[in-house]
Structures are given as structure tokens and as C-alpha cells.
Amino acid sequence: MILRSLLASTGLLLGAVSPLAQADTLRLGIGEWATGQASTYVLKAVLEDAGHEVEIRSVSLAAIWQGLSVGELDAFTGAWLPVTQASYYEGLADQIDDLGPNLNDARVGLAVPSYAEATSMADLAEAGDAFGERIHGIDPGAGIMALTERAMEAYGLDDWRLIAGSDAAMSKTLETAMGRQEPIVVTAWAPHPVFSGQSLRYLEDPEGLYSQDERIHTVTRQGLDEEQPEITAILDRFAWSADDVQGLMEANQANGDYEANARAWVEAHPELVAEWLGEND
């Protein structure tokens, strides 16, 4: 009943008749953060050029994982593992297919501007006044938010608040604070456009709650490889680096035109796209 209510609230009701249920349309769940927006729209452009229909579904992270597990979504390119989204993956690992990393050398944690005096999360308990006892975060269902709630408990930040919002809202708040040279703590991950042109640094994490060695995986519903082997092969070959995605994320942050920016990126990287399409095999 809980799962049914969750899927119904997001338009992913099991058994419902939906245009997304068409077998010839790939249903991509999107993570509404910088890397997720970049990878999802780039793959949409690549797959459409290869003759496939693609529909993007923007729902909560929990609904994405549940949707994959019951076959109401086909694929997701924003699975941060092994730590950040572990609670989702571990509960559904036997109900989805993990195609492996599409981006290595990712990282999550808490970050502050370089001018802030705090160097460790252990410093925050004594620096509440400077930071307003607030950590600025993103979507409340995101894995990094759950990790941050654990960190607040571990580091004695009982009187602090974790401010939920969008990736864009967090980035704007950070930009404003840094323009005023004000101390601020944000949930942070790399790659991300906020690390371009802004002097940010991660706080040390003595408790080891966050991951400095994350990878972003592509996961699919079970059976997609049998029903859509060509699509699954493209999803499986999809891989890029932080350098590949950085400029695209910056363009997305600047104008929010994900479709056009993805199309421009695809046209500017024909050799990498050819690898994903298997044209170099």
C-alpha cells in the first residue's frame, strides 16, 4: 500500500495506463541536480539520434528507485554509489540491474568558502554563530541529505538546521554568501559547477561518514536488456569524465536550457558519442 501510494503520487502507479508504458519509449528518471541533468539530457539526445523515443520523468529519488524496481521506469543515470544512495540500492539491488559507473572520481561532503575558519566538521559545533547554525542542502530525499542528518548527529550539531531546497537554490544561496564574504556551509559534491571559479573546500570528516571515492552508476529495470538490447548497450557504454561534463553543467547553470545545451555538447563530442553508440567496435 505504501509503495502504491508513492507511485500514484508521482504518476508511476503500478498497472496504470500511461503514455510512458509504450514499449518503444525509454522512460528515464532524472536526478534534479547538476550531474543528473547533464547525463540525462545528453543521453536523451544521443538515443533520439539513434532512432529511439525517450521520455524524461522528474520524480523524487525514492520514486525513481521504486519505479525501476517495479518496471515503471527503464533507466537512471544518477545512482551515486557505494555510499550516497546506498540505502536505496541495498533495499532494491535484487530488483534492478546495475550497469556500472558512468563517471568515476566523484565525491560528496560538506563544503565552505576558503575564507571560512572551520577546516573540519568537528569545528562546526563551536562555530554555530558564524554559520547561523545552518547547513544549506538540496532535495530532502537526496542521499546526501540523509548523510548530512547523520553527520549532524555525529558531530553534535543538535541546534543546527538542515535547509532543504533545490540544487539551483543552494547554488544561488552559496553565490550570494560568497559575494558578501559571509561564512556558509553547503552540502557539496563533485563534479558540480559551484567548484568552478569559486574557492570552495571540503570540510574534513573525521568520522568518515561521507565518501571521497564515489562513482555515478547507470541502473536499469530488470528485463530491459532482453527487450531493448540496442538501448541497453548504449546505456552500458555511456561513460565520461568530470572534465567532459564540467562545461555542460556550467552552461546548464547559466541558462537552464538543458535540451539545447545537451544537443550542443553532443555535436561537439562526436568521438565520445561514437564510442557510446558502438561505432568504434
Side-chain angles (χ1 to χ4, degrees), residues 57 60 124 152 159 190 193 244 246 261 273 277:
R57 291 289 290 175
S60 71
L124 296 180
M152 292 170 70
D159 295 328
D244 293 326
Q246 189 67 35
N261 294 336
V273 172
L277 295 173

Side-chain angles (χ1 to χ4, degrees), residues 213-245:
D213 188 25
E214 284 289 88
R215 296 171 176 83
I216 308 177
H217 290 230
T218 301
V219 293
T220 72
R221 66 172 174 85
Q222 291 185 342
L224 183 67
D225 56 340
E226 298 175 357
E227 298 166 23
Q228 298 283 358
E230 181 181 348
I231 289 177
T232 305
I234 294 171
L235 293 172
D236 195 22
R237 286 188 292 259
F238 168 62
W240 54 2
S241 69
D243 289 339
D244 293 326
V245 72

